[in-house]
Structure formats: C-alpha cells, structure tokens
Amino acid sequence: MRYVILGNGVAGMETALALRRRDETASIALVSAEHDHFFSRPALMYVFAGQLALKDTEPYDRGLYERMGFERVRGAVTALDAAGKALVLEGGARVAYDRLLLACGSKARPAPWPGSDGPGVHGFVTLRDLERLDAEAKPGGRAVVIGGGLIGVEVAEILKDRGLHVTFVVRESWYFPLALDAREAALVGEHMRDHGIDVRLGANVAEILRGGAGSRPRAVRLAETGEELGCDLAACCIGVVPNTGFLAGSGLALSKGGAIETDDDLRTNLDGVWAAGDCANVTWADGSRRPEPLWYTARDQGRAAAASMLGDEVRYRRGTWYNSAKFFDLEWTTAGFVPVALNFDNTPLPRPEGVREWFQRVPGRPESQRIVLKGDRVVGFNMLGSRWNHEPLLEWIHERRELPWVLKHLPEAQFDEEFAPRFAVQPTAEVA
Ligand SMILES: Cc1cc2nc3c(=O)[nH]c(=O)nc-3n(C[C@H](O)[C@H](O)[C@H](O)COP(=O)(O)OP(=O)(O)OC[C@H]3O[C@@H](n4cnc5c(N)ncnc54)[C@H](O)[C@@H]3O)c2cc1C
C-alpha cells in the first residue's frame, strides 16, 4: 500500500506517524515545499524575533524521516489527478498514491482593500511570509497591523520588538471579541498601549495608499474618520483561508470558503482521498461546518485520518475546547464553554439562557479570572495574565464540578507558582 501525504505540518506528520505505528512496511511519502523538516508554525514569531532558530522549533530530530522510512518529496503540488491517482508537481513530475491525505493547511486571508496588491503588504502564516516581513521590517520604520486576533497581536509584538512604530487597527469595538469580554479586552488593550502600541479600536480600513502604482505603501486610510495612518509596511492579519486553490478542477468537493469537505471519518468525496487539519471542513459541536484552524485539532484529525485510512471505523469529534496564547507577556488560557459577548456587527450578544459568570480582576496586576456556570456547574474558564494547566480545568468540567469546589482547588491548576502569586478569591469577585 502506498500512502501519500500532502503537507509536512502537524496534521500530515501525525498521520504519517500513526500509519507507521500500525503498518511497518507501507510506503509512506510526505510532500511539501515549505521546509525540509516538520516545524512548529505557532513558534514563527519567536523565529522572527531571533529568540529561537528555526531548527529549535522542529518537534522531532532530523533523523526521523529516515528512521521511520518516510519518503520525503520536496516540491509544490499544482494539481490533483484523481482519475490517475496522482499528485502533479510543479514541473510536471507525478507522485502516485493508493491512499492520499490532503493536509495542505491554510494561508493568510488576502487583504481585500483597494491598494492591497503590491509590495509592502504582508501576511504572517508561512516561512515565506516570515522571510518577506523580516527583509522589510527595519528598526525606526512604521507599520500598520490590521486584524484583532491572535496572529495580529503576535505581529504587533515582534515588529515593536524590532523597533518599528506600530499602529494596531481592530475593526471590532474591543480586541479579540471571539474570546475576550469587554473587561478582559480592556485589560489587554491597556497592556498593549503600555508596550507602546497605538491601538485603534472600532476602526475599518478603507484603503492602502501608495505613492504610485507598484510603489510601497505610504499610509492606511481609515473608513470612519478618513485618518491616514502613515506607514512603510502593512501587515494584514485578518484570518486564514484554506490553502486549496490548486485543487480547483480536481473534482474534490470544496466549501464556499475553499475548505475540503469531509465526512465524519475525514474522507473526501473522492475515492481514496482524505483530508485533515486547517484545510478540512468538519462539523462543529453546534452543527456548523468550518475548518478548525488550531494546532491540537490538526494533530487529532491527523491521528483520526490515519485510523480511517487503515480501515477503522472513525468518527472524528473535537473534544472539549481549550487553547492558550499570550498577548505580549500576558498569558491566556481558555477551556470549555466561554460565551462570545460581541456580534460580528459590533452589537452586544446576550448571554445564553441559564449561563452565569464568576469574574474577578486581581488588584495591582494585569490579571483576571472568569469562570462560566450553567446552573451550578462550571462549564468554562477564561484566565488572563497568569499561567494555567488546561488539563485539570478540562477534568473539572467533565466531572461537572460546582463553583465552590473549583475555587478551592484552582491553585492546583496554576503553573509558575514561584513567579506568580497563588490564586486567591478577591473581595471584588462577583457572580452575575
Ligand atoms: C503565526 C501563527 C501562530 C499560531 N499560533 C497558534 C497557537 O498558539 N495555538 C494553536 O492551536 N494554533 C496556532 N496556530 C495555528 C496552527 O499553526 C495551525 O492550525 C496548524 O499548523 C495547522 O496544521 P496543518 O498541518 O493543518 O497545516 P500546516 O501547518 O499549514 O501545514 C501545511 C503543509 O502543507 C504544505 N503545502 C500546502 N500546499 C502545498 C502545495 N501546493 N504543495 C506542496 N506543499 C504544500 C505546506 O508546505 C505545509 O507543509 C498559529 C498559526 C500561525 C500562522
């Protein structure tokens, strides 16, 4: 049996490893053009900042491919010939498969504004994006970072760290409303301003202005006020889109947004073809169908896809949600159900029926804790400004613990006790 995996990211690598664990003799080929070795995409910012060498972000030693007997095909795929059961590489070479996994990830959502096409407008998703930004980001320069999500704040941080003047443009009326409520976002906004970022909330971009066609950006014009934010470069961090353009015309069913449609077992509509990771459209707990653009879900999907490719009965379902990140040096851990408080049109969203929240801001520190309750049971955590281990938090949600029990045991889920004060309930804590 010949397995071919398009993509050398976490979904592709986890699939390859899981296949090898179960089948010692199968031919397994990994195809990609980005980098010779599997690396951690979430660590790109540390590579840009010079805090880690790219090699240090590689989760496995470089002997892995040989040791596992993986064939490594270096090349960009330009088409899928489903009838001929082969991938077509740039230059025309073909890579034949019996079973194929598409794990081709995502790319930066292209900037949609007039003036976006041309030099000096950047995304930050791939190694090529990093190299382009690295070449153009000069200390003393001016950057406008557009898009109030996790990648936007990382790019704002690394550009500031390099010595650029950074303006951060966020369309919503507070930063990252998908994950933070107004109180938490105010804390993060304050923190970004303390780090010298010029944060503009509720600001839509109208246009990227250039000196002339083909010249570099000179400003980003805001829609509401007409203000021109002077810049030498703009970073567009308004999300990612599936990296599937080259699959058009292959007969593969794609969603409106370009994600590869998969069944519960991660099979596509084409015989012998599966998909996993950022590029795959999967069913969410609420029944909607979207990709899950996260590291750990790509890993889990890779493992599930391998089992499915080996003939097991598989039903991929994401476990209870968790994530962690940081906003500059403010740590953030979330686990379970945390309701979104702002709609896409910037209007407040009412709290779902029966949901209450315990919240406290820790005095004198940029830190808060929010615990979400359904009835008396704890169903979610949003922890800002200190480090938490998501595993006990998830355990307590699954055990359907009540608030007093959780508050008593919370210190057990804390990391870094030697650096951060131990969790304590503050007199200002409230349930609402
Ligand atoms: C800056 C940044 C920070 C992030 N931080 C976090 C975080 O903190 N937590 C979190 O959970 N997630 C984070 N993510 C998201 C996470 O990195 C992705 O969800 C995850 O990497 C997806 O893995 P994947 O294997 O599906 O795709 P990818 O890692 O994108 O791998 C895709 C592979 O396909 C190859 N490929 C694609 N098209 C072709 C082609 N035509 N020809 C040949 N090869 C091709 C690529 O070269 C690559 O090897 C972050 C992402 C970015 C960009």
Side-chain angles (χ1 to χ4, degrees), residues 16-232:
L17 289 170
L19 288 171
R20 177 58 80 226
R21 250 175 250 130
R22 296 263 304 271
D23 188 339
E24 285 179 9
T25 57
S27 153
I28 301 174
L30 283 146
V31 185
S32 98
E34 190 179 11
H35 180 51
D36 280 352
H37 303 276
F38 166 46
F39 69 96
S40 167
R41 203 170 295 287
L44 276 182
M45 69 175 288
Y46 304 104
V47 177
F48 183 96
Q51 292 165 2
L52 288 175
L54 181 58
K55 189 165 186 294
D56 298 331
T57 73
E58 294 167 10
Y60 297 104
D61 66 277
R62 290 189 164 182
L64 179 83
Y65 296 88
E66 199 183 328
R67 212 167 52 250
M68 290 290 149
F70 295 156
E71 183 192 340
R72 185 69 184 84
V73 180
R74 293 172 181 82
V77 173
T78 53
L80 163 61
D81 173 3
K85 288 209 151 190
L87 293 174
V88 182
L89 299 182
E90 206 170 46
R94 295 167 68 84
V95 183
Y97 64 82
D98 297 314
R99 292 188 181 166
L100 171 69
L101 177 84
L102 298 169
C104 42
S106 43
K107 60 182 181 182
R109 183 184 294 283
W113 310 287
S116 297
D117 292 339
V121 176
H122 296 265
F124 193 70
V125 173
T126 65
L127 277 178
R128 300 294 90 76
D129 292 341
L130 181 147
E131 287 159 7
R132 284 184 60 231
L133 188 63
D134 188 48
E136 291 188 11
K138 306 276 188 248
R142 295 163 308 160
V144 174
V145 178
I146 307 159
L150 286 175
I151 297 181
V153 76
E154 288 188 358
V155 173
E157 179 177 347
I158 56 180
L159 293 178
K160 186 72 201 168
D161 178 63
R162 183 164 287 191
L164 282 85
H165 178 273
V166 178
T167 308
F168 190 23
V169 175
V170 177
R171 185 181 58 181
E172 292 79 19
S173 46
W174 71 73
Y175 169 69
F176 201 23
L178 254 185
L180 305 179
D181 73 6
R183 298 164 294 191
E184 294 158 339
L187 201 155
V188 176
E190 215 175 286
H191 199 68
M192 289 194 277
R193 289 187 174 107
D194 285 350
H195 278 80
I197 305 291
D198 180 2
V199 183
R200 306 301 186 93
L201 299 173
N204 277 282
V205 170
E207 191 180 358
I208 294 180
L209 301 166
R210 297 176 182 274
S215 63
R216 297 190 57 76
R218 65 169 180 80
V220 169
R221 186 167 64 78
L222 297 182
E224 291 77 11
T225 57
E227 186 183 0
E228 294 182 8
L229 306 169
C231 66
D232 310 304

Side-chain angles (χ1 to χ4, degrees), residues 13 24 27 31 36 47 75 100-101 135 166 182 231 233 235 244 260 275 287 297 334 352 376 397 409 425 430:
M13 177 54 77
E24 285 179 9
S27 153
V31 185
D36 280 352
V47 177
L100 171 69
L101 177 84
V166 178
C231 66
L233 67 87
T244 52
I260 302 167
T297 51
T334 190
D376 293 329
I397 293 169
H409 287 82
V425 175
E430 57 175 22

Side-chain angles (χ1 to χ4, degrees), residues 276-343:
D278 274 21
C279 65
N281 222 30
V282 294
T283 306
W284 285 49
D286 63 4
S288 63
R289 287 191 53 81
R290 289 173 278 159
E292 296 176 320
L294 285 174
W295 178 269
Y296 82 92
T297 51
R299 178 200 65 196
D300 293 352
Q301 286 184 24
R303 291 173 185 167
S308 180
M309 291 168 88
L310 287 160
D312 292 357
E313 260 189 44
V314 170
R315 190 158 179 261
Y316 170 75
R317 282 287 175 271
R318 182 171 77 190
T320 309
W321 164 258
Y322 69 89
N323 199 2
S324 61
K326 63 182 197 53
F327 314 112
F328 287 74
D329 53 346
L330 267 191
E331 300 280 348
W332 169 63
T333 305
T334 190
F337 171 67
V338 176
V340 179
L342 194 70
N343 215 339

